[in-house]
Amino acid sequence: MLWVARMLAGPMLWGALFSAVYGLHGLGCALDWPDRATPFGPLHPGGMILLWLVGLGLHGLLIALNRAGGSDRQNLLVRSGNWIGAVASAVTLLPVIVTSSCG
């Protein structure tokens, strides 16, 4: 049954990352972060992009660590779950990262 948890790790990471990025977006808008600048650029999009990249890195780590034992079908399901989470994180969070606005 451990393979089921490993299969769901990618989608669960996507859910956590989705909540964190959108939560950071709302927090940044509430605290007027778009008006604050740092030496590295604007604070609001910079923080969301950094969080998104860390999440994508964690997805990459999940995919790289997929050295499952067990049947071929279980390995395929674990790999599929990890890739589904990674692609979902890349695709569904890209619009808020690129076109973030507090209007």
Side-chain angles (χ1 to χ4, degrees):
M1 288 304 273
L2 180 62
W3 68 271
V4 175
R6 292 177 53 230
M7 178 184 69
L8 294 175
M12 287 173 47
L13 179 57
W14 166 78
L17 186 60
F18 188 89
S19 299
V21 168
Y22 273 94
L24 188 60
H25 180 266
L27 181 66
C29 289
L31 298 177
D32 291 327
W33 284 357
D35 298 334
R36 294 187 185 160
T38 67
F40 304 106
L43 179 63
H44 194 227
M48 290 190 305
I49 290 170
L50 180 64
L51 183 60
W52 182 58
L53 291 176
V54 167
L56 291 179
L58 289 174
H59 277 294
L61 186 62
L62 273 178
I63 291 168
L65 292 177
N66 181 28
R67 303 287 180 248
S71 72
D72 291 334
R73 183 178 186 152
Q74 289 175 354
N75 288 337
L76 176 64
L77 289 172
V78 170
R79 275 194 312 273
S80 298
N82 290 335
W83 277 105
I84 287 168
V87 171
S89 291
V91 172
T92 61
L93 292 175
L94 187 62
V96 76
I97 297 297
V98 175
T99 61
S100 173
S101 66
C102 297

